[in-house]
Amino acid sequence: MADLFDSAPEGGRAKAGPRPLADKLRPKTLGEVIGQPKVIGPDAPLTVMLASGTLTSLVFWGPPGVGKTTIARLLADETDLHFVQISAIFSGVADLKKVFEAAKHRHANGQGTLLFVDEIHRFNKAQQDGFLPFMEDGTILLVGATTENPSFELNAALLSRAQVLVLERLGLADLEKLAQRAEKELGRALPLDGHAREALLEMADGDGRALLGLIEQVNAWSLTGKLDREALAKRLMRRAAKYDKSGDEHYNLISALHKSVRGSDPDAALYWFARMLEGGEDPRFL
């Protein structure tokens, strides 16, 4: 029986599989990252750390598709650290032990390790405590990523050894830059009129990865003309807005609604009101 991971047929090289657009457009330097000026802009925390050579362990807090993994990879490149990525969803104690042992070996040979832990809040208290000695002795530089409030989900001991940086949803201007970058990679403009293009950006709901997925769908259609907003809406489903009726998004959105009402901004108030209703909020609460 052929091995699942057999390489090329005899006498030739295996053809690489198709790469998603998000992978093709992954930034090569921090300067290519779109958005997040509060984190990587001039005089922003990461910029200052890198300039001074004092990069510390970090926790990136933000929604999906805003660059948490990409920035972590680029930090490893900038600091000549070996990059290791794990997910708290799929990793257990045995996996962590292997990662720490390999990092200790590299450390003994003069090379540091940047350990990127996706969904770090999924690790329990004991697992989170397991990172502490390796952070303290310099075996690893930890970069955790979470979509949940670190103050509630991460141990105080871990938070005291890491700086929390908040990454924000991409704005429409950022998403437009990303769309233009995608068009350059694809070699053609998207078959959308101005209103449809704006609708496409809105469908991504601030998620760059989601936008590139939508662009791949649109690019695959055989069209002779440009679609308008209504025609696009028929072909694509709007991405479900991120909402959690009992978690951070609940409190973030109700806070935004309160501020809009207090600030006498009816348009904004109606937007947040509708966003919560669409997300499944109990109308009686609202």
Side-chain angles (χ1 to χ4, degrees), residues 76-212:
D77 292 341
E78 291 274 348
T79 53
D80 292 325
L81 294 174
H82 183 82
F83 182 78
V84 177
Q85 177 177 351
I86 62 172
S87 169
I89 298 174
F90 303 111
S91 303
V93 174
D95 301 301
L96 287 176
K97 284 183 177 178
K98 290 178 183 177
V99 168
F100 293 145
E101 282 301 317
K104 283 167 64 177
H105 181 71
R106 281 190 291 271
H107 191 243
N109 287 290
Q111 184 179 26
T113 299
L114 188 151
L115 175 59
F116 177 70
V117 184
D118 199 15
E119 303 288 345
I120 191 171
H121 62 277
R122 302 275 189 154
F123 278 137
N124 61 36
K125 184 180 185 303
Q127 289 170 319
Q128 290 181 30
D129 284 344
F131 290 99
L132 302 181
F134 302 102
M135 295 168 67
E136 289 172 348
D137 68 8
T139 299
I140 62 168
L141 189 145
L142 177 69
V143 178
T146 177
T147 55
E148 304 296 327
N149 190 329
S151 299
F152 301 147
E153 303 295 338
L154 299 183
N155 293 350
L158 192 151
L159 285 176
S160 71
R161 293 164 174 79
Q163 182 170 345
V164 176
L165 299 179
V166 180
L167 278 70
E168 300 175 341
R169 274 188 175 84
L170 300 182
L172 290 179
D174 295 326
L175 293 172
E176 172 59 27
K177 288 179 186 175
L178 189 57
Q180 291 177 14
R181 195 174 285 181
E183 288 174 320
K184 185 175 180 181
E185 173 67 29
L186 295 170
R188 73 186 190 105
L190 292 172
L192 307 172
D193 68 18
H195 294 299
R197 188 182 185 91
E198 185 177 349
L200 184 74
L201 302 183
E202 290 170 351
M203 286 179 185
D205 193 34
D207 183 329
R209 188 166 50 240
L211 175 65
L212 293 176

Side-chain angles (χ1 to χ4, degrees), residues 159-282:
L159 285 176
S160 71
R161 293 164 174 79
Q163 182 170 345
V164 176
L165 299 179
V166 180
L167 278 70
E168 300 175 341
R169 274 188 175 84
L170 300 182
L172 290 179
D174 295 326
L175 293 172
E176 172 59 27
K177 288 179 186 175
L178 189 57
Q180 291 177 14
R181 195 174 285 181
E183 288 174 320
K184 185 175 180 181
E185 173 67 29
L186 295 170
R188 73 186 190 105
L190 292 172
L192 307 172
D193 68 18
H195 294 299
R197 188 182 185 91
E198 185 177 349
L200 184 74
L201 302 183
E202 290 170 351
M203 286 179 185
D205 193 34
D207 183 329
R209 188 166 50 240
L211 175 65
L212 293 176
L214 292 171
I215 287 174
E216 283 188 299
Q217 290 184 57
V218 173
N219 185 62
W221 299 337
S222 298
L223 299 171
T224 53
K226 291 187 175 183
L227 296 179
D228 60 17
R229 192 183 192 105
E230 185 177 349
L232 178 69
K234 288 180 181 177
R235 288 171 171 257
L236 282 180
M237 291 288 288
R238 182 182 178 86
R239 181 172 178 264
K242 185 175 184 291
Y243 190 65
D244 177 349
K245 288 192 286 183
S246 61
D248 280 350
E249 286 300 303
H250 168 84
Y251 295 106
N252 289 342
L253 297 191
I254 195 62
S255 174
L257 176 58
H258 285 165
K259 290 174 182 175
S260 300
V261 173
R262 287 201 306 269
S264 301
D265 187 341
D267 290 339
L270 285 172
Y271 170 79
W272 296 118
F273 180 81
R275 174 91 176 255
M276 294 182 80
L277 278 180
E278 187 177 347
E281 184 58 73
D282 186 342

